[in-house]
């Protein structure tokens, strides 16, 4: 804990605290416009002692569904949603701090997949809501975030919260984020070989907290869990194919249903006549995954923090506890995938996609990234009661860019 205080001393040196020199609390508001939902994170920073040591004290978090991209064809309807979330900030931040509190929204894969025109129309709606709010609206406050930042900022969050970015002995940990539309992998390479073998745009130098980190990071667009469902069904990028039915051996045999994603309606169902179960499903999933991702050799032996849908699906299948999280091996996902896919009738109260999702996660980890069966995954939703989301890293970055730190 004391490490964190020490670290903040560097981050906010005593004579430089423009946001608020007198008050002992200040705030930062970060919106995460994800493909499946929009979330608000209101971070509180506190100055506890007269020496002006600042600490991240807490977070207020709320989320709404569906994601911004669901309003692609009626952007004006989006307004209610951002207003509703912004009301939380109005309640949480004391009025005298409103105009010193920055508010920013960053959109991820859902908007990256929309046409430029539709995405900009949605962002404009949000910008109007922000401009009418009493908060500090920085330039470029509403934008689509670059995928490499999504990975880097999540890595910053996790390694900050676990105390790895302060002090001398830094043992940083890699991060895996499985969103609805994209997935990210990020780590600090230890081997020279990794730097040599990585595609050029997978390495990014990033400055934060007075250090420069050269990270391996990549965001695979279309490899989020929900986009992967469409890819497996053969329906990705097949807009408005009226009435077409997409079938898969990963779905319950007699299932026929509809699914809305990114503003498009899809019909899908099981292999009524053909095979179902883990084996055929894995083969189907492999077509989407195999050879599509870069495999850095050095990660085979390391352990990673994993969140978002890795966490959710592990909770759904009782691999981990919803509150506690836990540590799993890659093979635990495979074991569950087999159990669910080969007994789909027993799991018919769960999501019809459970088999497909678990099989995809298994294939993504093993055949996609090249992890070993016994690679350890630390599944975490919160560290010290703060969400393990890129939004905290983004808030640090925001404060840094506003000149609140050097
Ligand atoms: N702050 C958060 N806390 C918990 N889960 C989150 C958070 N942000 C995203 N998720 C999870 O991420 C997954 C969806 O990813 P999302 O952010 O909507 O898509 P994408 O990152 O592809 O735009 C869901 O499992 C959702 O529960
Ligand atoms: Ca996300």
């Amino acid at each position: 804990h004391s490490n964190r205080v020490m670290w903040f001393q560097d981050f906010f040196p005593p004579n430089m605290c423009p946001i608020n020199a007198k008050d002992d609390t200040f705030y930062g508001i970060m919106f995460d416009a994800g493909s499946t939902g929009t979330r608000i994170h209101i971070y509180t920073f506190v100055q506890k002692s007269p020496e002006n040591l600042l600490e991240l004290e807490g977070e207020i978090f709320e989320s709404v569904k569906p994601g911004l991209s669901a309003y692609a064809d009626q952007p004006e309807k989006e307004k209610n949603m951002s207003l509703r979330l912004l009301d939380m900030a109005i309640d949480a931040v004391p009025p005298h701090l409103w105009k010193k509190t920055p508010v920013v929204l960053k959109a991820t894969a859902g908007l990256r997949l929309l046409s430029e025109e539709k995405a900009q129309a949605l962002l404009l709606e949000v910008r109007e809501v922000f401009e009418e709010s009493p908060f500090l609206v920085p330039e470029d406050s509403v934008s689509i975030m670059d995928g490499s930042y999504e990975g880097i900022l999540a890595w910053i969050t996790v390694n900050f919260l676990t105390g790895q970015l302060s002090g001398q002995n830094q043992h940083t940990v890699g991060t895996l984020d499985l969103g609805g539309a994209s997935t990210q992998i990020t780590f600090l390479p230890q081997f020279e070989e990794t730097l040599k073998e990585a595609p050029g745009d997978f390495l990014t130098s990033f400055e934060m907290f007075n250090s420069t980190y050269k990270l391996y990071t990549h965001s695979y667009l279309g490899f989020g869990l929900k986009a992967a469902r469409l890819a497996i069904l053969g329906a990705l990028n097949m807009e408005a194919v009226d009435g077409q039915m997409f079938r898969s051996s990963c779905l319950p045999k007699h299932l026929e249903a509809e699914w809305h994603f990114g503003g498009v309606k899809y019909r899908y169902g099981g292999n009524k006549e053909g095979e179902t179960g883990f084996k055929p499903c894995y083969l189907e999933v492999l077509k989407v995954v195999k050879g599509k991702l870069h495999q850095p050799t050095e990660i085979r032996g390391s352990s990673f923090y994993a969140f978002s849908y890795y966490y959710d699906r592990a909770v759904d299948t009782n691999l981990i506890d919803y509150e506690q999280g836990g540590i799993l091996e890659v093979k635990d996902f495979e074991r569950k995938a087999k159990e669910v896919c080969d007994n789909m009738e027993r799991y018919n109260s769960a999501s019809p996609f459970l088999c497909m999702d678990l099989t995809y996660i298994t294939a993504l980890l093993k055949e996609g990234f090249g992890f070993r069966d016994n690679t350890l995954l630390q599944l975490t939703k919160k560290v010290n009661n703060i969400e393990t989301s890129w939004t905290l890293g983004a808030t640090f970055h925001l404060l840094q860019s506003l000149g609140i730190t050097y």
Side-chain angles (χ1 to χ4, degrees), residues 299-314:
I299 64 168
R300 297 177 64 80
S302 38
S303 63
F304 271 70
Y305 265 68
F307 32 81
S308 306
Y309 277 121
Y310 294 112
Y311 194 95
D312 297 351
R313 288 301 169 268

Side-chain angles (χ1 to χ4, degrees), residues 100-382:
K100 293 172 175 174
T101 302
V103 60
V104 162
L105 175 142
K106 295 195 179 296
T108 55
L111 254 62
R112 282 182 212 131
L113 286 171
L114 286 184
S115 70
E116 176 76 14
E117 191 189 350
K118 285 184 175 178
Q120 289 307 324
L122 285 166
L123 296 179
L124 187 64
E125 292 293 331
V126 180
R127 204 167 291 130
E128 280 174 21
V129 171
F130 281 9
E131 296 287 355
E132 285 161 19
S133 85
F135 297 110
L136 172 68
V137 184
E139 217 178 296
D140 209 18
S141 64
V142 180
S143 62
I144 299 178
M145 180 168 48
D146 188 84
S148 64
Y149 272 81
E150 200 176 347
I152 290 171
L153 295 171
W155 183 92
I156 293 275
T157 298
V158 167
N159 286 285
F160 165 74
L161 290 175
T162 55
Q164 299 307 320
L165 299 184
S166 55
Q168 302 302 308
N169 291 318
Q170 303 192 346
H171 295 289
T172 61
V173 60
T175 53
L176 296 170
D177 183 354
L178 180 57
S182 72
T183 188
Q184 288 76 242
I185 176 170
T186 309
F187 64 95
L188 183 67
Q190 303 293 315
F191 298 170
E192 195 60 34
E193 190 192 346
T194 306
L195 301 176
K196 276 198 219 121
E197 73 183 9
D201 59 345
F202 282 48
L203 298 171
T204 309
S205 288
F206 190 77
E207 213 164 306
M208 175 124 313
F209 314 148
N210 275 334
S211 296
T212 304
Y213 299 97
K214 190 169 192 182
L215 298 176
Y216 175 108
T217 187
H218 194 71
S219 176
Y220 292 93
L221 189 58
F223 285 80
L225 189 73
K226 300 209 161 175
R229 288 179 182 175
L230 294 178
I232 294 161
L233 286 165
L236 194 64
N237 302 326
M238 305 263 296
E239 251 188 79
V241 230
D242 255 354
Q244 187 177 344
M245 175 70 107
F246 298 99
R247 297 191 177 275
S248 166
S249 62
C250 307
L251 294 169
K253 223 177 181 65
H254 299 290
L255 176 82
E256 289 195 352
E258 278 176 2
W259 186 47
H260 294 257
F261 187 65
V264 181
K265 187 174 80 178
Y266 301 91
R267 292 181 65 219
Y268 63 91
N271 267 351
K272 233 186 326 210
E273 264 106 65
E275 291 182 291
T276 52
F278 179 76
K279 251 197 184 142
C281 175
Y282 198 74
L283 289 175
E284 235 178 84
V285 170
L286 273 189
K287 284 185 207 145
V288 169
V289 169
K290 208 168 172 73
K292 300 285 170 63
L293 292 87
H294 179 250
Q295 302 189 338
T297 5
E298 106 167 51
I299 64 168
R300 297 177 64 80
S302 38
S303 63
F304 271 70
Y305 265 68
F307 32 81
S308 306
Y309 277 121
Y310 294 112
Y311 194 95
D312 297 351
R313 288 301 169 268
V315 169
D316 295 343
T317 51
N318 296 316
L319 282 168
I320 58 167
D321 175 75
Y322 174 76
E323 293 294 338
Q324 305 291 316
I327 298 176
L328 295 179
E329 292 180 339
V330 167
K331 64 169 176 272
D332 292 320
F333 277 113
E334 181 162 0
R335 180 169 50 80
K336 272 295 170 188
K338 284 178 180 157
E339 193 180 312
V340 172
C341 294
D342 291 338
N343 299 281
M344 276 198 261
E345 61 294 343
R346 226 197 291 155
Y347 287 89
N348 60 8
S349 60
S351 158
F353 284 104
L354 192 56
C355 158
M356 188 185 283
D357 289 354
L358 290 167
T359 305
Y360 176 65
I361 287 174
T362 304
L364 178 67
L365 292 170
K366 289 177 55 162
E367 310 286 342
F369 296 125
F371 286 112
R372 288 200 295 237
D373 280 333
N374 63 352
T375 297
L376 292 179
L377 303 173
Q378 170 92 44
L379 293 143
T380 319
K381 194 177 209 57
K382 288 185 177 191

